[in-house]
Every structure is written in C-alpha cells, then in structure tokens.
Amino acid sequence: MFLSNWHSLTGVQAMSNKLYEMYVVNELQISRTSLDYLLIAANSDLRSYKCIEEMTQNGANIKNLVVYDYDKFRPSTEQIQELENYNKYSVFKPTKVVMCNDEDDDVFATRDINLLSNDKIGIDITGFSIPDLFRIIFVLKEIKNVNNLHVFYTEPKYYAFKNGLYDSYEYMIGERDTKTIPEYFISGKSDKEALIIFLGFDRLVSKVVHETVMPSDVLIVNGFPSYTPKLKDISLLNNFELLSTVGMEKLYFTRANNPFSTYNLLCQIKQKFSDSLLNICVLGTKPMALGACIFAIENKDTVKVTYPFPKTYGHHISEDSSKIWYYNISF
Amino acid sequence: MSLSMFENPFVECTSRDMSYEEVFKYWCDPFSCYSLNEKLLLNSMTPVFIQGARGSGKTMILKYLSYFCQKELYIQKGTQNILEHFSSTGSIGFYFRYKSDFGKLLDSLNCLQETKNGLFLYYFQLYICREIFTVLFDMEKSNFINSSLSERLTKSFNIIFSTDEISLNTCINYINMLISDLDNIMRKIKYVSNSEETLNNKINSKNFIALLNKAVRTIIPEFEDIKFIILIDEYENIKRNNQVLINSLIKQVDHSENITYRLGMRPSGMYTYYTNIGNEFLQPDRDYILRELKLTDMQKYKRFITEVARRRLESVPFFREKEFTDIQSALGKKEDWVSEALMVVKRYPDKHFELIRNMYQTDEEFLKVKELIKYPQNPLIEMLNILWLKRGITPEQTAAAMNAFLSSANKSHLKTVGDLAYKYKLDYNDKYKYILLFVLLGKCAMNKLYYSFTTFAYLSTGIVNDFISLCRNTFYNLDENFFDKLDSTKVIPLDAQHKGAEMTANEQMNKIRQCEENGTEMYTFAMNIGSLFKDFHKDADVKYPETNQFAFENEAEIERRELLKKILSNMLKWGVVIRKDRKQGITIGRRKGDIYYLNRIYCPLFNISYRTRGGYNFVIKTSLFEKMLNDSLEVSNMKSLNKQHSVKENIENKVQENVPEQLALFNGGAGNE
C-alpha cells in the first residue's frame, strides 16, 4: 500500500514542491529493508519493539541497531512485568545501547555516533518521548547533516485509560516544567506569538501550557481522523478547559497518523500568521510530532517548540499494537 | 435560539492576547479600584513594582502605560500634537514581557555565570532597543515625526550600533538580525566545543538603551526632557541571578539618564534584593515603590467588574440587542440563604431537628420542644433555636426570644425588648445565619450553592480573570431554554451558576498540581486545609463559625527551613493561599503574626464560606504543616497532630465574650448587604 500525501497535496506543492512517501509496511517490505543504522528507544509498551521484531523475523538487513535506554522510562524493580517488557530490547542484539541517565546523554551520543550523512538511517519513533524525538532529529539533521530519514511508527491498538475512564489517562505525572526545547529556541521578531497546541489526552495540560506560554494567539489541533473514531472525541473532552477558554473557532484538524498532514497544516498556519512567531507544542501523536519537527527544522527563523516536561512519565499508556507505518523524510 | 454556543462573551480575551488597540478598547479604569495613582505610574522617576496575583490586571496596566495605548488615548481625546502630549506627561513607555522560557534556557546553559549575565544583559538591551525603534517607526508612520527626524534617528542608530541602516524600519531589522544571530548560537551551543568563547565573542556590553535615550532626546525637540519608562512584565520569570542585574539597573535610576522602570510581578516574585553594585541592595520606598493590586474596596471592585462584564456582553450582538448586559442583574445581586434553606428542608423535612433529639428522654418531650421552636417559614431560625438549645438556653427562653425578634417590626430597636431578644437578633443577623445554612446542608448531606454577583465577586478575591472564568463557565452551562425568551431582567438559573463556580474551582485546583515547582505539595496542602475548614463548617455546635483562615505556630521556623519557606512562597506566588496585609493576633488571645486564607475560588470544592471573619484561626504547627504538604490526611488526624500546640483552652469562652468585636470583623458577603 502506498499513500502519498493525498488529502492536502496542494499545501505541500505550494510550500515546498515535494511529494512525501508514507505507507503501512507489509512483510515483504520489511524483509527488503536495508539500513546502516536503526535507532529505537526502549519502552515497556511492547509496540515499541514490534517493528524491530518484524525486521528481525523477516531477515531485514540492519547493520547497526542503536537502543536508547532512558532512565525516565525504565520501570522500577517492583514493576516486574513492565521491567521485563522494557528489557526485551536485548533480544535484538543491539550494536550500541545508549544509557540516558542525564538530560543530554541521548543527543551527545547521537552526535558521537560514527554515521555519515549519506548513510541509510532509520528511526523507530514509537518508544521515544516527543521532546527527545525533536532533539534527536535536530542532531541528525543539523549536526550530522543527515538529509534523509526512514521513519517507522507502530500505532497502538488501544490507549490505557485507568479504570476504563476516558478522562483518567496519565502519560505525564506530577509537576510539569513548560519550556522551550533548547534546540528549537527563537526570540521572534515581535511580541506576536501564535501557540499551536496539538491535543493529547492528558487532562488540563494544554490549558497549563497555554497559561504558561501566554501567546498573543492560540490554535488548537485535534487528530482527525484519529487511530480509532472515539479518540478524536476523547481528546476534545479531555481538553475542555482550554477549548472553553479560547473558543471553538480556534480548533483545527489534522490526521493523527500522517506527519505530512501536520506539516501542511503548519504551512497554512504560517501563511495566515506570517508576522507571528509560531510556538508549537505537540501533546498528540508521534506522527504529529514528526510532522511538526520537519516543519520546525525547515522554518528555524519563525518556529520554536515548547513542551511541558513532566516529572515522571507513565509506563503503561497503550495496549497491543496495530499498523506499522513507514515515512520517508527528506530535509 | 439565535446564540451560537461558541459566542460565550467570556471566552478568553485577556490583556496578554490583546493588541494595544484592544487593550484600549476594553480598558476599564482599575486605578481607583486598586488605589493606584495613574500620575505616579506615568511620572515617577522612582521605579514602581506592581504586584498582583495572576489575572489581577498587571499586564493590562503595563500595556496601558505603554506608548501604543497612550497614543490611542491621545488620539481619542482629539489631541493635535501627540508628541507635545507625551512631553507634557513627561514619559514614554516601552512594554516588554519577559518570557519564562528564555530565563530557563539561559539558566540551563553550561557556561560561567559571568557569561550568562553578559548574555542576559545583551539580549535585554536588544529586546528593549527593538521596542524603542518599533515605537519610533510607528511615530514616523503616524506622521508624528517628519522624515528629517527619522533620518537623524537612523544616523544615530548607525553610530551606536556601528552599522549603516537606511531607515527606522531597517534599524528594526538590524536588531532582529542581531537577536536571530544570538538565537542561532543558543540553539547549538551545547554541541560546540568552545562554547564559552563563542558566547563571549558575541556579547556586546554597550548600554544601547541609554545611548538611544540620549539620541532621541537630542533629536526630537519635544522629547528633550522625556523619561523612558521600561515596562517589564512578569519580573517573577527572571531567575534570581538575573534579577540581581535588573535590580542593579533599578538601583542606578537617576535623573541623569532619564530612564526608569515599571515592573509587574506576582506575590513573592522578587527572589532577591541584591544588586551587583558593591554590597548594596534594593530598599523599598527608597529605590523603588511597591504597589499591590489588592482588593481594598469591594464596592469599587464590584463597579469595576460590572463594567468589565458589560463590555464583554455588549461585544456580542445577541446580548446587546436583548439588553442583557448587566451582569449584576444576570446573576442576581446576592444569595438568598433562606430560600436555599427552604429547598433543603423541603427535601429533608425535620432532619435538622435530629440534632437535638438526644437531649430529650422521651418523644413526647422532644415533640413538645420542637413545637415550641418551630418556624417553618425560615429553617435558619429553627437552626438558631437548635443551637441555643444545645448551648443550654431553655426552649421557653429560646421561643420567647425568637418571637420577640420576629414580631419586632423595627429590629434595630430590639435592645429595648429585652436582652435575650437582642442577643437573638445579633446571633441571627450578624453572627450565625450563614454558618447555620452550612450546618443544615451538612446535616442533610447537601452542597452549598454558590451563585449571585456578590458571591462571584467574593470568590474571585479581586482577581478579574477569575471573575471572568466564573462567568464563562456559568454561560457554558446555559442551554437553549434560557436564551429563548431572554430579556434584560432574566436571571441565570442558580444551578448553572453553581456548576460554573464548581468548574472554575475544580480547574484551578487541578492546575495547582501541575505547577512546575512544588505542584504536588501545594495541591496536597490546599486539599488538606480545605477539608479541615469544611469540617469546621459542619460543626453543629458552631464552636468556630466560618473558620477559613490559618496561621503558623512558628513562622520563624518556617522561614529558617529552606524547603518549607520555598513551598509557602510558591503557594503565595501561585495564589493558592493569600496572606493578609495586616498583622493580627494569629488566633484569639495569641501573639500578632501573619494570617493566611485559602484562595476563595476553591470554596465551592469544600462547601465553605467565602467571607473572612475575625476570631478563631487554625494555627498550624510546623510539623503538621510539613505533613499537610506531603500526605493526604483525614481531618481527625490533622486535628490530633496539632493538638499539642498552645491554643488556649479558653478559646471557646473568648469567642463568646468577643461577639461585638467579631461582628465588626465580618468582611461583607451576600447576607450583610
């Protein structure tokens, strides 16, 4: 199955004159995968390993597997099942395991990997946190001069709502420090700042981000179509506080699993808010984050990226896995 | 129904997202409400700090003082020569909002503090210079200054910045280029091996603002004596080390440079008084003036928020056409406690009489007493009778006092009727009426309704944004039926108002736990102290009516312990608790100290009174404070943990003795108007 960016192609053509490639991978495609490097992040959600598992089983050619083992995601020894899931990455015999105990361990390790700009680099974004994804792609593009990335993402089958209640989703736990991701800092050319929030499920986070950033304008983006139909409504309900504060006319939509749809939407927003600094905060899906990341890198002079860094991340946020997506990214 | 659900007039449009034109359009003079002096703010050479909680209107005031708003004001007044008008005012304001992310980024840099300081000051200079040239460019576009002056200003800019720009507009671009250049380095600095050197090579320590001020005063004749007022919003976002630098600028303000400052900050937003000028530190009233945006006069505040709401309601054609623009009429002026009590009793008839059932041996005796003290028209009278019985007054005396009170047409002359009747009047009207409603509700396991304009005014504690939030959530609870036959006299249903108040309270409480510093501790404390107050409000003996304030047993100890001090400071900064201005006895018969209360916006969560009153306050031992920050506690647990503290055993007696004084200490509320 091959999907070019069909639903908003004009946006792409108008802004960058590029066509993008995304599809749901099948066994045949997996078996033909050949990469110099594949970067993955350890996670107790098993879908984070589904792609590498399929690759291993189907004889894909991965020369170097780099696993980022984040302290913040590592379950405690009491969380026996989660810890067991988390440690499963060793099965795939990684070439390098990057122990990320301090804030910049991951980006410095990425900088120090001996990869060449024309190597075939793959990254499975499923297990990474959104801000880490932004930072690592920054290093690959801006420091290592990589111009092409093969990105994989495994959709969850269900999200884990505590007690079955849709408003009990907890990915971010405890206090949040809302700040700019340093690699995406920009002062802006005036005091006009449009905050673009991609909605997630965590209650009140978007409202707190809005109150911390205090932009001159705000745009809210919901994932639609979402992975499953009800998710688009759950994200609206869980962000009621922000929506009711700023008004529904600020609401936009983008496909939850299509980074290019996000990219195109941001292109349109940029045209509309041409004299504003665009401050992007992705609380939604990883494909949304990927699209925003490409856009931010290509628009350094007008875009900054903000994230509400939580004290702790939830360990078990999704159940089972669904499709594996492939996105080809050319900078 | 012709109103879209999206046309909520209270949907956010705060000063932070308003353009200068909008600030002017929505401007409702807050100066008298907060006892601020506009002339002082526009003229004083001494820097002024404007301190207020989030949403209290600091940004609105600072933006109002800026060139762009003052310009609109002068145009509106039909002023011919705008420059002369600025000249006669004596100042021109440049607004600058210090964003928290910049401070955090700077703080996270892996370089020497000296380099960070240099970088901070250079950025600060560039941001302000850009604003100065944005103002000058606007003056040029508005034909306030001619092309010859623009050219001279551009030439001066070129000399100061060693460049060769051709217009005021390109000067702005040049500054933007310098800022962008710095931004680029900041983004990649952690990946650069010689970061210290790279940064130091970029920093320019010239005092650009002073040089520009001198140039402007020389070139524009009307501005010969003009003061530059740098309006810094969100001073609390400036990290401690960088506050030292701004403090130094404030310390150095004098007439030689004609540059001064107005700074907006939250309570406890000043982390240090130090400067980098020898051992000198900032001294209030000498180096700066502090003005607090605090509620000093409820009537003025009510007029102010009525006007704020009117402008919002009028901005929606539907409400304008229906003349539904008076928020006081829309919400109803005040709560009706008796009606609320009647609703409770209708649902649970005679339940409140159970409070005295155990006092009597037989049903017959109980029923006889009940008959004596019954007054079905007003369950709060019955509740007072119950209280009197519980306090040992006989049923006959109680009934006689009640009857004297009820039959006296002119209740102000009740004293002549007899002492008990007078006491009854005092107890009912001034002391217990409101708390008895809480006791009645508690007995029937029902919640207090929060509604009416006065209640919303009190819940918002002088914070305009909180009042807007209460109105916004109330309007979200209205349905088509309400709008169908809307006219200017229609009152919003009580349950819609109450739901709105609850939604705001919930949202504010849940947001606390997400605060970046001590969110969990602040949330835990607020929930604990709220539960404790709730318990006091349910006490059928009404030992400590409407207790909703607290103090610390040992403030000095909290001050000494860094973590506790920091958390308390954060609670004040985020408006979780509010410290009263005046030092008072920490509770009856105790030493003077600071009194605190839980932000009234949370009252609907705990079913507690929004009024503040004198008398008993809960005095917290340091050890209990620590526990209340870290653990979710049962009320009984909190009380027993605090038991050993030195609250005098005769408090209860003193409460009784102090009745006349307590009456004077009531701070308004719906029933007292």
Side-chain angles (χ1 to χ4, degrees):
Chain A
M1 182 172 145
F2 177 86
L3 280 180
S4 62
N5 191 26
W6 55 273
H7 75 286
S8 51
L9 198 57
T10 47
V12 173
Q13 287 179 329
M15 295 309 297
S16 58
N17 205 21
K18 282 183 208 168
L19 279 177
Y20 293 100
E21 189 185 355
M22 64 179 269
Y23 52 82
V24 176
V25 291
N26 56 32
E27 277 184 18
L28 183 64
Q29 285 157 332
I30 282 272
S31 68
R32 288 178 183 168
T33 304
S34 174
L35 296 168
D36 294 309
Y37 285 89
L38 177 66
L39 317 180
I40 68 167
N43 203 298
S44 48
D45 269 346
L46 283 176
R47 67 183 168 110
S48 303
Y49 302 131
K50 187 179 177 187
C51 183
I52 181 67
E53 195 173 17
E54 299 261 326
M55 285 177 177
T56 311
Q57 281 171 7
N58 291 289
N61 177 21
I62 310 295
K63 289 183 187 147
N64 295 286
L65 175 66
V66 182
V67 179
Y68 292 77
D69 183 332
Y70 286 95
D71 189 38
K72 62 192 170 195
F73 286 135
R74 201 177 303 132
S76 65
T77 43
E78 289 97 63
Q79 296 167 292
I80 298 162
Q81 185 58 52
E82 281 91 349
L83 191 60
E84 193 185 311
N85 291 349
Y86 185 87
N87 288 329
K88 275 190 180 156
Y89 67 75
S90 57
V91 174
F92 309 109
K93 300 189 175 65
T95 331
K96 183 178 173 67
V97 176
V98 179
M99 300 307 290
C100 309
N101 299 324
D102 291 324
E103 201 181 311
D104 288 326
D105 286 349
D106 53 350
V107 282
F108 288 156
T110 311
R111 177 193 60 187
D112 298 337
I113 293 173
N114 193 23
L115 58 81
L116 302 171
S117 60
N118 57 352
D119 278 345
K120 277 188 89 179
I121 317 289
I123 178 168
D124 182 350
I125 61 177
T126 315
F128 285 96
S129 76
I130 285 174
D132 295 336
L133 174 63
F134 272 94
R135 292 159 66 246
I136 284 174
I137 292 183
F138 175 89
V139 175
L140 290 172
K141 169 70 179 73
E142 297 294 308
I143 310 292
K144 306 296 282 184
N145 299 315
V146 170
N147 289 318
N148 189 271
L149 269 181
H150 304 269
V151 182
F152 300 88
Y153 174 67
T154 306
E155 276 183 22
K157 199 160 194 173
Y158 315 102
Y159 280 102
F161 296 105
K162 267 201 280 180
N163 310 319
L165 299 170
Y166 67 79
D167 61 350
S168 60
Y169 181 84
E170 270 193 352
Y171 176 52
M172 300 179 181
I173 298 163
E175 291 99 339
R176 278 123 230 215
D177 187 4
T178 301
K179 58 186 182 185
T180 306
I181 299 175
E183 287 82 354
Y184 295 85
F185 170 76
I186 184 177
S187 299
K189 289 186 172 137
S190 67
D191 59 356
K192 284 190 178 174
E193 180 173 342
L195 173 67
I196 306 154
I197 303 187
F198 291 81
L199 299 182
F201 297 144
D202 278 285
R203 189 106 203 193
L204 267 175
V205 180
S206 58
K207 171 94 176 183
V208 172
V209 170
H210 178 235
E211 287 188 353
T212 310
V213 172
M214 295 207 276
S216 47
D217 219 318
V218 63
L219 297 98
I220 301 166
V221 186
N222 194 26
F224 176 73
S226 44
Y227 297 154
T228 59
K230 66 179 176 182
L231 294 180
K232 72 179 191 308
D233 301 322
I234 291 174
S235 59
L236 290 180
L237 287 165
N238 281 351
N239 289 281
F240 169 78
E241 287 82 3
L242 177 66
L243 286 162
S244 64
T245 303
V246 302
M248 296 291 280
E249 68 276 9
K250 307 276 186 185
L251 188 61
Y252 291 70
F253 298 96
T254 186
R255 291 178 74 94
N257 58 12
N258 185 340
F260 310 116
S261 165
T262 298
Y263 180 93
N264 286 341
L265 176 71
L266 289 169
C267 290
Q268 287 160 18
I269 290 171
K270 189 187 169 191
Q271 282 181 330
K272 195 174 167 187
F273 292 86
S274 56
D275 58 347
S276 293
L277 162 70
L278 303 183
N279 189 348
I280 299 174
C281 176
V282 184
L283 306 170
T285 65
K286 305 273 166 61
M288 283 174 172
L290 180 64
C293 180
I294 308 163
F295 181 79
I297 282 178
E298 289 187 358
N299 294 275
K300 287 186 214 77
D301 294 342
T302 47
V303 176
K304 76 172 172 184
V305 180
T306 293
Y307 195 75
F309 292 84
K311 216 169 195 176
T312 333
Y313 287 94
H315 286 302
H316 184 67
I317 56 153
S318 67
E319 305 266 3
D320 219 336
S321 51
S322 176
K323 302 166 200 161
I324 300 175
W325 285 94
Y326 167 79
Y327 312 107
N328 187 275
I329 308 294
S330 295
F331 294 106
Chain B
M1 207 283 293
S2 53
L3 180 76
S4 149
M5 69 169 284
F6 306 138
E7 278 186 274
N8 187 330
F10 297 96
V11 156
E12 192 137 331
C13 181
T14 61
S15 45
R16 67 167 179 264
D17 52 30
M18 281 181 194
S19 64
Y20 291 105
E21 290 77 14
E22 284 171 324
V23 168
F24 183 72
K25 183 181 157 196
Y26 284 101
W27 176 256
C28 303
D29 184 356
F31 295 123
S32 64
C33 171
Y34 292 123
S35 304
L36 285 174
N37 184 332
E38 186 176 355
K39 276 191 181 157
L40 172 102
L41 293 173
L42 283 167
N43 257 321
S44 166
M45 195 62 203
T46 310
V48 182
F49 277 84
I50 302 169
Q51 181 178 291
R54 188 188 171 276
S56 57
K58 302 181 293 294
T59 301
M60 195 85 168
I61 291 170
L62 290 176
K63 279 193 171 178
Y64 175 77
L65 298 174
S66 73
Y67 159 81
F68 288 101
C69 276
Q70 292 294 311
K71 180 188 94 172
E72 290 295 324
L73 189 74
Y74 300 151
I75 291 171
Q76 196 88 353
K77 282 181 181 168
T79 309
Q80 294 299 314
N81 189 334
I82 299 283
L83 295 190
E84 269 181 13
H85 211 97
F86 275 106
S87 168
S88 68
T89 310
S91 69
I92 183 164
F94 304 98
Y95 177 80
F96 167 65
R97 183 164 79 86
Y98 189 88
K99 296 177 184 175
S100 60
D101 59 348
F102 174 70
K104 287 172 187 171
L105 181 66
L106 206 60
D107 208 37
S108 69
L109 289 182
N110 186 20
C111 62
L112 295 172
Q113 189 56 46
E114 205 184 328
T115 309
K116 287 183 192 178
N117 289 351
L119 205 52
F120 171 83
L121 282 176
Y122 185 36
Y123 259 116
F124 178 73
Q125 291 277 337
L126 291 177
Y127 288 146
I128 302 297
C129 288
R130 180 172 66 187
E131 190 58 25
I132 292 171
F133 266 79
T134 306
V135 166
L136 293 173
F137 182 51
D138 184 80
M139 286 181 177
E140 184 189 46
K141 280 194 297 184
S142 310
N143 294 320
F144 301 159
I145 55 174
N146 59 33
S147 57
S148 149
L149 289 180
S150 300
E151 274 174 34
R152 289 180 61 196
L153 287 165
T154 309
K155 271 185 192 167
S156 288
F157 178 88
N158 288 337
I159 293 166
I160 294 166
F161 281 89
S162 311
T163 181
D164 51 356
E165 296 308 318
I166 53 165
S167 70
L168 294 176
N169 194 24
T170 62
C171 291
I172 299 171
N173 293 341
Y174 180 77
I175 300 174
N176 272 329
M177 189 209 61
L178 293 177
I179 293 173
S180 178
D181 201 19
L182 274 183
D183 288 348
N184 280 334
I185 292 171
M186 293 282 273
R187 279 199 295 268
K188 286 188 177 176
I189 197 68
K190 73 167 83 151
Y191 303 101
V192 175
S193 52
N194 54 346
S195 58
E196 202 81 44
E197 197 187 334
T198 310
L199 287 171
N200 279 313
N201 285 341
K202 279 286 162 191
I203 295 167
N204 189 333
S205 52
K206 225 175 188 178
N207 190 344
F208 294 107
I209 303 170
L211 293 169
L212 283 181
N213 170 275
K214 202 172 169 190
V216 168
R217 282 162 55 207
T218 310
I219 294 167
I220 303 176
E222 291 89 343
F223 285 179
E224 194 183 347
D225 294 318
I226 206 131
K227 278 189 283 288
F228 274 18
I229 298 187
I230 314 291
L231 308 155
I232 304 177
D233 203 358
E234 296 174 29
Y235 177 78
E236 73 278 0
N237 283 343
I238 305 178
K239 298 279 178 185
R240 192 183 184 281
N241 285 324
N242 297 327
Q243 281 194 354
V244 171
L245 304 174
I246 297 293
N247 291 354
S248 308
L249 296 174
I250 290 167
K251 185 84 185 172
Q252 286 168 320
V253 164
D254 58 31
H255 288 274
S256 61
E257 274 194 349
N258 262 15
I259 298 170
T260 185
Y261 302 86
R262 306 288 180 263
L263 305 101
M265 69 169 179
R266 289 191 186 185
S268 300
M270 189 188 266
Y271 310 124
T272 178
Y273 292 97
Y274 280 102
T275 68
N276 60 2
I277 310 160
N279 290 325
E280 294 200 54
F281 55 89
L282 282 189
Q283 294 181 47
D285 294 328
R286 194 177 127 182
D287 297 318
Y288 71 92
I289 299 165
L290 176 67
R291 288 287 178 266
E292 293 185 65
L293 299 185
K294 273 199 169 175
L295 187 59
T296 51
D297 183 327
M298 183 46 96
Q299 293 311 319
K300 284 181 183 168
Y301 175 63
K302 283 182 176 178
R303 282 198 291 276
F304 177 54
I305 53 179
T306 303
E307 180 60 15
V308 168
R310 186 185 64 77
R311 292 194 183 209
R312 284 180 177 257
L313 286 160
E314 279 190 346
S315 70
V316 178
F318 177 78
F319 294 117
R320 197 168 56 235
E321 282 159 22
K322 301 279 182 187
E323 294 180 354
F324 190 79
T325 55
D326 178 17
I327 196 69
Q328 297 205 29
S329 308
L331 298 171
K333 283 211 164 48
K334 57 184 185 182
E335 292 181 350
D336 182 347
W337 299 337
V338 175
S339 299
E340 221 179 317
L342 283 166
M343 280 195 298
V344 180
V345 172
K346 195 177 167 189
R347 195 160 163 195
Y348 297 100
D350 290 352
K351 180 119 179 135
H352 50 305
F353 288 108
E354 288 173 11
L355 290 166
I356 49 166
R357 176 63 194 89
N358 290 343
M359 291 169 64
Y360 305 99
Q361 303 282 332
T362 63
D363 282 347
E364 195 186 0
E365 198 184 351
F366 168 65
L367 289 171
K368 194 178 149 195
V369 169
K370 191 179 148 190
E371 200 54 40
L372 262 179
I373 63 162
K374 252 177 81 171
Y375 187 64
Q377 296 94 316
N378 183 352
L380 297 180
I381 289 276
E382 293 177 336
M383 286 299 293
L384 181 61
N385 294 342
I386 290 167
L387 182 66
W388 273 37
L389 297 182
K390 284 171 83 70
R391 288 187 173 175
I393 302 170
T394 65
E396 291 73 21
Q397 283 175 316
T398 302
M402 172 184 75
N403 290 328
F405 169 73
L406 292 172
S407 60
S408 171
N410 187 350
K411 292 188 170 46
S412 63
H413 293 129
L414 258 185
K415 199 164 186 178
T416 57
V417 179
D419 279 341
L420 264 185
Y422 178 63
K423 183 171 166 26
Y424 194 96
K425 182 204 123 183
L426 288 183
D427 277 4
Y428 181 74
N429 280 344
D430 302 326
K431 200 173 173 191
Y432 294 126
K433 186 179 178 183
Y434 192 37
I435 188 65
L436 288 170
L437 176 58
F438 284 96
V439 178
L440 175 68
L441 288 159
K443 179 69 191 160
C444 300
M446 284 178 72
N447 287 335
K448 170 81 185 77
L449 295 179
Y450 292 81
Y451 57 95
S452 86
F453 173 74
T454 300
T455 304
F456 280 16
Y458 273 92
L459 290 178
S460 59
T461 330
I463 309 297
V464 189
N465 268 3
D466 284 352
F467 178 76
I468 292 171
S469 170
L470 289 163
C471 293
R472 180 173 57 243
N473 284 329
T474 296
F475 272 66
Y476 268 113
N477 285 304
L478 296 174
D479 58 18
E480 290 184 5
N481 295 332
F482 177 77
F483 292 115
D484 270 349
K485 288 175 188 164
L486 188 70
D487 65 48
S488 61
T489 60
K490 202 163 178 180
V491 178
I492 294 172
L494 306 193
D495 60 338
Q497 294 190 42
H498 174 68
K499 266 188 206 165
E502 262 189 340
M503 282 162 73
T504 298
N506 254 314
E507 183 186 318
Q508 302 266 27
M509 180 60 82
N510 287 327
K511 272 190 316 197
I512 297 174
R513 68 201 315 180
Q514 296 193 18
C515 287
E516 61 188 77
E517 261 195 330
N518 308 123
T520 310
E521 288 91 345
M522 293 194 291
Y523 173 83
T524 311
F525 178 80
M527 292 302 290
N528 280 330
I529 196 83
S531 307
L532 188 77
F533 291 152
K534 180 179 180 167
D535 191 68
F536 280 116
H537 280 67
K538 286 197 298 191
D539 174 26
D541 294 331
V542 197
K543 273 188 195 159
Y544 310 121
E546 295 178 57
T547 295
N548 57 9
Q549 300 188 125
F550 65 93
F552 292 107
E553 182 66 45
N554 191 344
E555 286 163 66
E557 191 183 355
I558 291 172
E559 193 66 23
R560 273 197 309 274
R561 293 177 60 180
E562 275 308 312
L563 182 62
L564 298 185
K565 183 182 164 187
K566 195 179 105 193
I567 297 173
L568 180 59
S569 170
N570 274 328
M571 285 204 278
L572 291 166
K573 181 176 153 186
W574 289 100
V576 178
V577 299
I578 291 147
R579 181 164 47 207
K580 292 179 90 172
D581 285 338
R582 209 159 51 88
K583 308 270 183 212
Q584 289 169 263
I586 57 170
T587 187
I588 302 159
R590 298 287 310 276
R591 64 170 173 84
K592 282 200 169 187
D594 284 322
I595 305 286
Y596 300 81
Y597 59 91
L598 187 63
N599 192 328
R600 293 181 188 126
I601 202 76
Y602 309 128
C603 287
L605 288 182
F606 301 108
N607 276 295
I608 58 175
S609 163
Y610 55 76
R611 311 193 304 182
T612 48
R613 53 158 299 157
Y616 175 74
N617 301 314
F618 188 75
V619 180
I620 305 173
K621 280 203 305 183
T622 310
S623 57
L624 176 63
F625 180 48
E626 219 172 345
K627 269 205 142 322
M628 288 171 84
L629 294 170
N630 295 310
D631 301 317
S632 300
L633 300 168
E634 290 300 329
V635 172
S636 55
N637 203 358
M638 281 185 269
K639 283 183 172 172
S640 67
L641 282 166
N642 217 36
K643 224 169 192 175
Q644 292 165 351
H645 83 73
S646 53
V647 171
K648 304 282 183 285
E649 284 181 11
N650 60 355
I651 278 174
E652 204 176 327
N653 297 332
K654 290 205 173 181
V655 171
Q656 299 303 316
E657 286 164 17
N658 284 341
V659 169
E661 284 77 18
Q662 284 182 35
L663 301 178
L665 289 170
F666 268 116
N667 185 10
N672 283 343
E673 293 198 331

